């Protein structure tokens, strides 16, 4: 069975991807690692402390656990990155380069997510094509474009099986994101359950692509298991499932929580980032090359988010 290492497993994606992959490949075949101890990730499978910038420690884990595939989920997100671009570069590119080099040395498959943030203001806004102008204006986006190019370079030059997707804003109910421009679309659900009031940092009419976490997890597995001979692209595939504005998602949540009130207090940094990103991506290459086919729409996601977060709230877990 494939042995997998998830680096940065304590974050929004990793905390769910670890459990998802353990369900598929077996608990002992999925090693989670993070900077900080994590009781949940250690409860049903191997967990190791790792600073992804420590190349020797990283390589040792890959060697000791005889890893076949590395998921590198280490990154400062877009808004945090703008507060300290030098640190964002150090962490995002440091973890990426260690992943690629270790994958080359130990012959591993690897996955480092890209993002809608890889596009910029000169990219086509609607139905943004797979192959088009990128030129992002955030350090996060610059790192993502470089990650895509290096992934393809390592594949062509060294035969490293690097694959990746451009994730939209991911909406989930296990671990909160932090420092992203799309975070509002997660936070509003928590406030809809807890305080019934949400202060939104993004203007009401700003469209961005979003996705419910279960579809994002399936995308990872489907792409990593896809027949390589069918892949025309590799780093990275546009994937999409829904695109909405704050106004649209809040109206949808209010169907189930009519007492929810919204106040707008636009954060100029986040708004400038949102304005520089696409409204919606064209994901036809992912559909053709590896069968991408998301299952969740906005309304089904809203019902599920409110149910899960409501249950946690009732148990006093929030
Ligand atoms: N969710 C990320 C962010 O907002 C984009 O990939 O930074």
């Amino acid at each position: 069975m494939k042995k997998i290492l998830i680096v940065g497993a304590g974050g929004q994606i990793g905390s769910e991807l670890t459990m998802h992959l353990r369900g598929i490949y077996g608990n002992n075949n999925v090693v989670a690692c993070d900077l900080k101890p994590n009781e949940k990730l250690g409860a049903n499978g191997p967990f190791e402390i790792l600073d992804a910038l420590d190349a020797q420690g990283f390589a040792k884990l890959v060697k000791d656990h005889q890893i076949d595939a590395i998921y590198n989920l280490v990154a400062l997100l877009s808004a945090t990155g703008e507060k300290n671009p030098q640190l964002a570069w150090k962490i995002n590119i440091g973890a990426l380069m260690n992943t690629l080099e270790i994958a080359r040395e130990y012959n591993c498959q690897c996955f480092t997510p890209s993002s809608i943030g890889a596009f910029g203001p000169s990219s086509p806004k609607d139905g943004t094509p797979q192959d088009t102008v990128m030129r992002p204006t955030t350090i996060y986006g610059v790192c993502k474009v470089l990650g895509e190019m290096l992934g393809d370079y390592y594949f062509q030059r060294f035969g490293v099986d690097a694959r990746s997707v451009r994730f939209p804003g991911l909406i989930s109910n296990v671990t909160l994101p932090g420092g992203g421009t799309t975070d509002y679309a997660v936070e509003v659900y928590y406030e809809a359950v807890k305080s019934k009031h949400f202060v939104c940092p993004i203007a009401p009419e700003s469209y961005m692509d979003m996705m419910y976490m279960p579809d994002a997890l399936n995308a990872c597995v489907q792409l990593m298991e896809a027949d390589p001979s069918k892949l025309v692209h590799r780093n990275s595939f546009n994937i999409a499932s829904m695109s909405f504005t704050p106004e649209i998602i809040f109206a949808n949540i209010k169907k189930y929580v009519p007492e929810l009130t919204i106040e707008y207090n636009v954060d100029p940094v986040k708004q400038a980032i949102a304005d520089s990103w696409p409204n919606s991506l064209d994901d036809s290459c992912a559909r053709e090359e590896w069968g991408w086919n998301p299952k969740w729409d906005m309304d089904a996601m809203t019902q599920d988010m409110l149910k899960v977060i409501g249950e946690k709230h009732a148990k006093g877990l929030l």
Side-chain angles (χ1 to χ4, degrees):
M1 184 62 95
K2 202 178 201 175
K3 285 210 80 178
I4 297 172
L5 181 70
I6 306 184
V7 187
Q12 188 200 11
I13 302 175
S15 56
E16 293 191 52
L17 185 63
T18 301
M19 299 307 169
H20 187 70
L21 296 182
R22 283 180 180 165
I24 295 170
Y25 300 99
N27 290 354
N28 287 331
N29 292 322
V30 180
V31 182
C33 61
D34 203 83
L35 267 179
K36 287 182 279 180
N38 189 310
E39 231 174 81
K40 271 195 200 159
L41 295 176
N44 70 342
F47 177 83
E48 306 267 7
I49 300 284
L50 175 72
D51 177 351
L53 303 186
D54 166 14
Q56 278 181 349
F58 192 161
K60 185 172 181 325
L61 273 186
V62 167
K63 197 168 150 218
D64 289 353
H65 289 274
Q66 299 185 310
I67 295 297
D68 303 300
I70 306 169
Y71 284 76
N72 163 35
L73 305 176
V74 174
L76 288 196
L77 293 185
S78 57
T80 309
E82 290 315 295
K83 288 191 187 133
N84 193 341
Q86 293 78 7
L87 183 67
W89 173 270
K90 188 173 159 208
I91 292 176
N92 297 10
I93 297 301
L96 168 77
M97 278 311 291
N98 282 347
T99 301
L100 288 169
E101 269 300 296
I102 291 166
R104 178 178 70 80
E105 196 175 339
Y106 293 94
N107 194 22
C108 299
Q109 203 188 18
C110 65
F111 178 94
T112 299
S114 185
S115 160
I116 51 172
F119 295 105
S122 50
S123 308
K125 276 264 174 244
D126 296 296
T128 310
Q130 172 67 38
D131 300 311
T132 188
V133 178
M134 311 285 290
R135 304 200 68 81
T137 48
T138 62
I139 191 68
Y140 177 74
V142 170
C143 293
K144 288 301 183 195
V145 171
L146 183 55
E148 293 190 9
M149 295 177 73
L150 281 169
D152 278 349
Y153 177 78
Y154 267 69
F155 172 64
Q156 283 151 13
R157 178 79 171 76
F158 303 118
V160 173
D161 187 0
R163 307 177 185 194
S164 156
V165 296
R166 295 177 182 137
F167 276 134
L170 296 180
I171 298 173
S172 65
N173 51 48
V174 175
T175 305
L176 280 165
T181 304
T182 57
D183 294 6
Y184 88 88
V186 182
E187 290 158 358
V188 62
Y189 286 102
Y190 283 82
E191 292 313 319
V193 169
K194 290 196 296 187
S195 66
K196 318 277 185 218
H197 182 70
F198 181 62
V199 183
C200 184
I202 302 292
E205 285 158 12
S206 302
Y207 272 96
M208 282 184 277
D209 260 315
M210 302 280 178
M211 182 176 293
Y212 199 29
M213 188 62 91
D215 276 332
L217 302 178
N218 283 336
C220 295
V221 176
Q222 235 189 317
L223 174 60
M224 291 297 266
E225 294 299 334
D227 175 354
S229 70
K230 303 245 162 61
L231 300 181
V232 181
H233 298 85
R234 281 183 159 264
N235 300 281
S236 299
F237 283 94
N238 280 3
I239 55 170
S241 66
M242 56 185 101
S243 166
F244 55 71
T245 64
E247 231 167 25
I248 293 172
I249 187 74
F250 299 158
N252 184 251
I253 298 171
K254 278 187 192 179
K255 261 174 56 183
Y256 304 98
V257 188
E259 60 279 38
L260 173 66
T261 53
I262 303 290
E263 186 186 326
Y264 288 93
N265 183 10
V266 171
D267 174 329
V269 174
K270 287 190 177 179
Q271 188 59 44
I273 296 174
D275 290 341
S276 77
W277 288 355
N279 294 339
S280 63
L281 303 190
D282 173 349
D283 62 359
S284 47
C285 291
R287 289 175 185 267
E288 278 158 31
E289 293 174 37
W290 50 275
W292 163 242
N293 183 19
K295 304 277 180 292
W296 290 83
D297 64 17
M298 184 174 65
D299 195 58
M301 172 181 79
T302 291
Q303 292 187 49
D304 198 54
M305 283 291 282
L306 292 173
K307 179 172 160 276
V308 176
I309 296 169
E311 285 165 3
K312 280 197 202 174
H313 187 54
K315 286 186 196 152
L317 297 174
L318 296 184

